Amino acid sequence: MADENRVFVGIDVGGTFTDLVMFDPTSHALKTVKVPSTPPEFWPSVVAALEAAGIEKKQPVTILHGTTVHLNAFLERKGVKTALITTAGFRDIYEMRRGNRPRPYDIHFKYPTPLVPRKHIFEIEERTAADGTVIKAPNIAELSKIAEQIRAAGIQSVAICFLHSYRNPENERIVEEALKQLLPDVFVCASFQICREWREYERTSTAIINAYVSPILKQYLTRLENALEQWPDNRLFLLQSNGGLISAREAKDKGILTLLSGPVGGNVAGRMLAATGDRNLICIDMGGTSFEASLVVEGASAIRTEREVGGFPILAPLVDIHTIGAGGGSLAWSDGGLLRVGPQSAGARPGPAAYGNGGTEPTVTDANLALGRIRDDATLGSGLKLHRDLARAAAARFGSTLSLECDSTAQGILDVINEQMANAIRTITVRRGIDPRTFSLVAYGGAGPMHAAEIARLLGIRKVIVPQSAGAFSAWGMLQSDLIHDLAETSATQLNTLDWQRVREQFAPMEAELKARLLGEGAAAKAIAFEHALDIRYSGQEYAISVPLDGSILDPKADPARNYSTVRAKFDALYEATYGHSNPQELAEVATLRLRAIGKTSLNATAFASATRIEEDLGFATRTRTVLFDGTPRETQFIARRDLKKGEIVAGPLVVEEATCTTIVPPDFTATIDDQDNLVLALRENA
């Protein structure tokens, strides 16, 4: 991906702001830019960020991009009109779901309405056996009649999912090719193109979600690519939900792979941060609209190969991220006299009342400003001016409906939103048997560092890390991402009788397929590496644990008995670490083969460590102001981050300012700059 004179740009488009981090290998400089997002068409803010960064039109540029445009369309049920074609006799798989109830004691629980109504699910006579043998080829004449119905219904996208196509996709391939000829203006997605694992409902759900959102992403990327023609020598990549990059060309047809591309960037950057310090991190990203929490465990991102998003299962590797509607723009509201905050957001327009763009309801940003935690006597990034009088007026007006004064209302808003964010972290830690007190908290996003210390206190976490350019940390993570592709194939076999030669033969064509993809995206052959794994479970179980394989296991000269004992020991250990117990005497079986292909880029944490950082100089000067902490006024020093001396410990209360974010250091915390230039907040020993 690297060549002479090419600059690399990471761009994270959020609901309120668009963040850019540019690395110029020639000058060895890192530049950070933040501009307002431009909903509902977000691509203009990408162009605005590139222009604000001063990238000349003749400059070769590689753009590594994260967007939530299709995720938002999915969550808001604003995807395209979609149909499903499935094997005759299996029309109801999608609506029947699974028999289990996620919340068995919740009498009000309801499954989400299917993305495809039953009237738009079509059957076709075809059949493939469980071993991959084609019993009956699809009838093309029958498909022509289905195509007429799809056209008449105004369908914009079609998912194809046939029984046992994970074993042999031939029938799906035939129907996919024929349908593209019959319906050239309709998006067509066959399940084998994105998922080759068993479980018919989950595979069907995955194919439907891809068909539902990919046209939205495709339209967005097409418009963005047209706009980027101003920079003739540009290369556009998207960050995938698995933490790796994919070319925009391939991403257009596989929107599901980039569904979480926006939030994942921060976790990738957190993983790089772990390489030089704390190995166990809770990463929190609080922007203007949402709050995301994820884990880095022993230096690695927590990845799940199956999870639910919006109430629907997805079979694809995703960084395990938990999202709630909590951001600087989250609106306060009354629920029968009870103070609530979010998930509704003021967004970029009109934004918080303090922006002066017409907003009248108080937001989290307004609450911070009303209590004096953000200065209102300076112009922030992109020329934004905050108005404290408008923030206090909004808080007072809303508070009067709850019989609260302005300051009490503002503090209540912060208390509620902080508890909501702490609960989001408990969802991925405490509820899974993980003690958050053994982790450090990494805070980023425009609003994350303002709330991090108070969230840490609620969870018993004693150390908070605010990295450099924390407000654009997700964009910075995109610069450190590699090209990554994942492939999985179901292969049900007893582990103790596994034919290792057969395993090597199964992995070989998978490696060839992914290597070709990476080479097509510009990866150097010598920079491509493979990671192999087996999904293993105890016999009779439904779900499996992914067990990584080292190179010696797949060596043709490896002893099969030793392979078995090594892999079995790893599986039992991982099972016990996950569930708190194991059963070494029980038979184990392999469910799935997994392969990850990585195309290493020339960019990494080492390249950035000594880079010169260039941020907008907002003219922050040290001064003392009165700030309210839990209702108590405290004289608080406001200081520019650049003015903090490395290694010097400063006691709170303190407000640390920089171009992309503001960090609040409460009275019971201290702050210092560590050897990696991170701002570290520590809970005092007697607190």
Side-chain angles (χ1 to χ4, degrees):
M1 291 175 61
D3 54 59
E4 274 190 57
N5 302 320
R6 179 170 295 276
V7 298
F8 295 82
V9 175
I11 299 182
D12 177 30
V13 178
T16 307
F17 287 101
T18 293
D19 303 322
L20 175 148
V21 177
M22 179 183 73
F23 179 65
D24 185 345
T26 303
S27 63
H28 209 60
L30 270 172
K31 186 173 185 178
T32 303
V33 169
K34 184 181 284 281
V35 301
S37 293
T38 54
E41 294 285 346
F42 286 94
W43 62 264
S45 64
V46 175
V47 176
L50 292 169
E51 291 175 340
I55 301 175
E56 297 180 4
K57 298 299 189 288
K58 62 182 180 180
Q59 178 76 57
V61 56
T62 293
I63 301 168
L64 314 174
H65 182 29
T67 178
T68 57
V69 62
H70 51 318
L71 173 62
N72 292 339
F74 169 58
L75 295 176
E76 296 170 11
R77 305 303 290 267
K78 295 180 180 178
V80 301
K81 196 173 184 179
T82 304
L84 169 67
I85 299 178
T86 190
T87 305
F90 293 87
R91 183 183 184 188
D92 295 315
I93 280 179
Y94 182 56
E95 280 198 281
M96 288 173 64
R97 301 178 62 104
R98 291 288 178 189
N100 59 309
R101 287 176 60 85
R103 298 197 295 273
Y105 302 108
D106 183 355
I107 62 174
H108 301 291
F109 173 77
K110 289 183 179 180
Y111 288 112
T113 303
L115 300 175
V116 177
R118 193 173 189 273
K119 65 180 179 180
H120 293 154
I121 300 178
F122 302 95
E123 298 178 318
I124 187 169
E125 291 290 340
E126 70 82 35
R127 195 58 182 264
T128 299
D131 64 357
T133 302
V134 175
I135 299 173
K136 186 174 185 178
N139 187 323
I140 300 301
E142 184 183 6
L143 182 63
S144 297
K145 296 178 182 178
I146 292 174
E148 292 176 7
Q149 296 178 64
I150 289 173
R151 188 182 297 108
I155 300 297
Q156 299 167 274
S157 186
V158 178
I160 305 166
C161 191
F162 292 158
L163 201 66
H164 303 308
S165 61
Y166 63 85
R167 182 70 75 184
N168 182 354
E170 183 59 28
N171 282 358
E172 277 195 8
R173 185 179 286 109
I174 291 171
V175 171
E176 179 189 31
E177 293 174 356
L179 208 58
K180 286 180 177 179
Q181 295 295 322
L182 293 167
L183 300 170
D185 297 327
V186 174
F187 181 86
V188 179
C189 160
S191 73
F192 81 92
Q193 298 282 16
I194 54 172
C195 179
R196 300 179 191 175
E197 300 180 56
W198 59 7
R199 296 202 188 100
E200 297 307 311
Y201 166 61
E202 287 80 1
R203 190 160 52 88
T204 300
S205 172
T206 303
I208 286 174
I209 294 173
N210 188 69
Y212 187 70
V213 302
S214 288
I216 302 290
L217 179 64
K218 191 171 188 175
Q219 181 184 62
Y220 169 80
L221 289 176
T222 299
R223 291 176 177 175
L224 177 58
E225 286 176 329
N226 291 338
L228 291 177
E229 289 179 357
Q230 302 173 58
W231 291 269
D233 189 359
N234 79 79
R235 301 172 188 170
L236 179 62
F237 295 83
L238 260 68
L239 188 64
Q240 298 181 78
S241 303
N242 64 6
L245 298 167
I246 185 174
S247 68
R249 180 187 66 255
E250 186 165 356
K252 288 179 179 179
D253 294 331
K254 298 180 179 179
I256 198 166
L257 298 183
T258 59
L259 205 59
L260 302 179
S261 75
V264 165
N267 184 272
V268 174
R271 191 176 69 218
M272 298 303 166
L273 197 65
T276 59
D278 298 60
R279 301 281 290 168
N280 294 315
L281 304 172
I282 298 172
C283 302
I284 61 169
D285 182 1
M286 183 182 182
T289 306
S290 62
F291 172 85
E292 285 88 28
S294 61
L295 300 179
V296 172
V297 181
E298 292 300 322
S301 298
I303 303 285
R304 297 176 66 181
T305 56
E306 177 184 343
R307 64 165 291 182
E308 280 196 357
V309 177
F312 296 97
I314 294 176
L315 282 180
L318 304 96
V319 174
D320 191 9
I321 293 179
H322 184 60
T323 302
I324 62 171
S330 293
L331 294 165
W333 55 286
S334 174
D335 181 9
L338 296 176
L339 174 60
R340 306 288 191 192
V341 185
Q344 301 90 348
S345 174
R349 291 283 177 176
Y355 284 11
N357 293 327
T360 58
E361 299 173 86
T363 66
V364 174
T365 294
D366 293 314
N368 276 303
L369 186 60
L371 296 177
R373 297 179 174 211
I374 310 172
R375 74 159 70 207
D376 60 346
D377 59 351
T379 301
L380 303 182
S382 305
L384 179 63
K385 176 77 173 177
L386 297 179
H387 303 274
R388 191 183 184 196
D389 57 335
L390 295 179
R392 290 189 63 82
R397 188 166 48 247
F398 172 72
S400 66
T401 66
L402 302 174
S403 300
L404 293 174
E405 299 293 333
C406 173
D407 292 340
S408 297
T409 301
Q411 186 61 56
I413 291 172
L414 298 185
D415 290 344
V416 169
I417 200 72
N418 288 337
E419 189 60 55
Q420 288 177 190
M421 292 186 287
N423 278 333
I425 294 172
R426 291 184 184 107
T427 298
I428 62 171
T429 55
V430 177
R431 294 183 186 178
R432 298 178 186 173
I434 298 172
D435 186 350
R437 295 173 297 181
T438 62
F439 283 66
S440 295
L441 191 69
V442 179
Y444 49 95
M450 281 196 290
H451 295 259
E454 288 163 337
I455 295 171
R457 187 194 301 119
L458 289 170
L459 296 167
I461 298 171
R462 306 195 69 86
K463 181 179 180 180
V464 175
I465 302 171
V466 181
Q468 295 185 79
S469 306
F473 196 56
S474 290
W476 190 71
M478 293 169 193
L479 283 179
Q480 301 182 80
S481 300
D482 295 316
L483 291 165
I484 294 179
H485 289 290
D486 290 295
L487 198 57
E489 290 193 3
T490 293
S491 179
T493 314
Q494 291 294 327
L495 180 60
N496 60 349
T497 60
L498 190 64
D499 183 343
W500 291 97
Q501 176 58 31
R502 173 61 180 154
V503 170
R504 286 188 286 271
E505 292 172 354
Q506 287 177 281
F507 272 127
M510 295 168 67
E511 290 179 2
E513 178 180 342
L514 295 190
K515 182 177 182 180
R517 285 191 204 174
L518 290 174
L519 291 174
E521 290 176 330
K526 63 181 180 181
I528 296 176
F530 296 103
E531 294 178 357
H532 307 79
L534 300 177
D535 283 5
I536 303 175
R537 62 190 183 184
Y538 291 123
S539 294
Q541 290 186 328
E542 182 176 358
Y543 295 98
I545 290 178
S546 190
V547 179
L549 304 178
D550 58 44
S552 63
I553 296 289
L554 295 176
D555 189 325
K557 299 178 180 179
D559 177 26
R562 184 176 179 278
N563 279 358
Y564 168 74
S565 61
T566 300
V567 174
R568 179 59 197 255
K570 284 185 180 180
F571 166 66
D572 289 329
L574 286 171
Y575 195 96
E576 181 149 3
T578 303
Y579 298 108
H581 65 90
S582 64
N583 191 356
Q585 289 73 42
E586 182 68 43
L587 284 175
E589 60 186 13
V590 176
T592 306
L593 277 66
R594 295 195 182 276
L595 177 68
R596 166 165 286 194
I598 304 171
K600 291 286 185 180
T601 69
S602 61
L603 303 178
N604 52 53
T606 303
F608 300 135
S610 58
T612 302
R613 289 180 177 263
I614 304 172
E615 286 189 350
E616 187 177 1
D617 186 1
L618 302 179
F620 293 131
T622 300
R623 60 171 296 182
T624 300
R625 301 181 60 174
T626 301
V627 177
L628 270 68
F629 289 94
D630 294 320
T632 303
R634 303 288 296 263
E635 288 302 300
T636 303
Q637 187 180 40
F638 282 63
I639 186 170
R641 179 166 175 160
R642 63 174 180 269
D643 292 336
L644 288 173
K645 298 177 181 178
K646 187 176 293 188
E648 180 181 359
I649 298 175
V650 183
L654 182 71
V655 176
V656 182
E657 299 175 306
E658 55 186 304
T660 61
C661 68
T662 297
T663 302
I664 306 295
V665 185
D668 54 343
F669 277 77
T670 63
T672 189
I673 300 293
D674 70 8
D675 291 339
Q676 305 299 323
D677 291 320
N678 299 307
L679 174 60
V680 177
L681 280 54
L683 186 63
R684 294 185 183 182
E685 289 300 323
N686 57 353

